[in-house]
Structures are given as structure tokens and as C-alpha cells.
Amino acid sequence: NYFHPTRSIQFTINKKILGTFGEINPLIEEFHGISEPIYLFEFNLGYFKNWKIKSTVTNYNQYSKYPSVTRDISLILDKKTSFSELKDKIQKRIKHLKSIKFFDVYFDSKQSDKVNLGIRLEFQVSDRTLTAIEIEQEIKNIENLLKEKYNVNIRD
């Protein structure tokens, strides 16, 4: 056995050894002259040939050297509105949107069927700095989308 009897561990599932980790046994002749402990990890990939990664591999995108622009908008919308659907619709429609985050949720007791929502929008492109006019146009597009699809009131 290459592994130290008290300084190693085997990983098993249903009596199948998936892998072993631990210190090399100091009694093995090839390692007599080495004063530091040596550790080894063996992994039996044969048990994983049908295993699939559930998430997709993300492609690397070069980081933009141009600054991002952040804007916040406040909305009043129906409580039944799906936040994830709302986020997806905005992301699909707006081309220069880098990220969208919900940063504030407020429930008003006077309007029990409504919710006040704060959204932080980050805009950026990789080849230039966006102009204020482009950002304002993107925000107008978001506001129009939300008014049309979700009957949202935009707070000033």
C-alpha cells in the first residue's frame, strides 16, 4: 500500500472506491531520502464516465476597459408580478444592460395589493463609453416596457 495507514482516507460509495487521499507511506523505498511528507490523491475516473455537469461552462468575455454607468429606478407594481420574469424581460429587451439587481422592496399598508421596488441597473459596452443620452434612452425603453407589460408606475 502506497498510503500511510493512519494518515490517509478512501472515498467510497456503495463499496466502490472513488478515490484515495493521504500521505505516502514513509516505508516505501523510493521515498526514504525525502524528509518532508508527500501527499497523493488518486481519483478513479472510470466511475464518472457517465457523470455530466449540470451547469454549462461559461465562456470568458474580456473585461471592458470602459466604465460602467449605474442608475436606480423605483417602481410601484402589483404584488402578483413575478420578479424573475420582470428581470428576464428587461434583460432580453435592453442591449447595453450589464446587470440588474433588486435592492429595495417596500410594502405600503395603504396599498396592500402593490409593492414598491428599487432596481439598480448597470450599463456598459466593451468598445466605448456610453453617453448620457444613450443611458437615458435605455431607461426610457425599460420604463415603457414595464408600463406596457406590467402596468407599473415609475416613482420620481
Side-chain angles (χ1 to χ4, degrees):
N1 192 353
Y2 281 101
F3 290 96
H4 193 288
T6 60
R7 296 182 186 163
S8 62
I9 186 169
Q10 281 188 338
F11 301 99
T12 60
I13 293 180
N14 297 331
K15 299 183 181 180
K16 292 181 183 177
I17 300 173
L18 301 177
T20 309
F21 172 75
E23 186 178 323
I24 299 287
N25 193 331
L27 300 177
I28 296 176
E29 287 185 27
E30 293 97 22
F31 300 106
H32 278 298
I34 300 172
S35 61
E36 296 291 322
I38 299 172
Y39 291 87
L40 177 69
F41 183 74
E42 290 181 327
F43 201 56
N44 189 347
L45 296 176
Y47 293 122
F48 296 95
K49 61 184 173 188
N50 296 326
W51 181 69
K52 294 186 175 75
I53 299 174
K54 292 182 181 178
S55 64
T56 58
V57 176
T58 333
N59 290 334
Y60 168 77
N61 292 326
Q62 185 174 354
Y63 184 75
S64 176
K65 58 185 172 187
Y66 300 98
S68 64
V69 178
T70 304
R71 295 284 189 269
D72 295 342
I73 59 174
S74 296
L75 318 168
I76 302 172
L77 60 145
D78 191 277
K79 268 188 184 178
K80 296 176 184 175
T81 303
S82 166
F83 295 144
S84 62
E85 180 185 321
L86 186 130
K87 183 178 178 179
D88 288 342
K89 291 264 190 218
I90 292 172
Q91 286 175 322
K92 288 177 183 172
R93 176 82 64 95
I94 306 304
K95 62 180 177 178
H96 299 310
L97 187 64
K98 180 180 176 185
S99 70
I100 178 171
K101 295 178 182 156
F102 300 113
F103 70 89
D104 189 26
V105 177
Y106 173 72
F107 298 97
D108 189 352
S109 58
K110 296 175 189 170
Q111 295 180 311
S112 60
D113 61 333
K114 300 286 183 187
V115 62
N116 295 283
L117 184 66
I119 298 177
R120 178 155 295 137
L121 305 161
E122 184 180 9
F123 301 92
Q124 188 177 33
V125 292
S126 61
D127 59 344
R128 62 190 169 80
T129 301
L130 290 169
T131 65
I133 294 169
E134 289 174 308
I135 300 297
E136 291 307 315
Q137 185 58 50
E138 294 281 44
I139 290 174
K140 286 288 180 204
N141 291 342
I142 292 170
E143 290 175 351
N144 290 338
L145 169 71
L146 295 176
K147 286 176 185 176
E148 291 170 15
K149 297 276 186 190
Y150 300 99
N151 197 26
V152 170
N153 293 323
I154 309 296
R155 296 183 59 187
D156 293 328

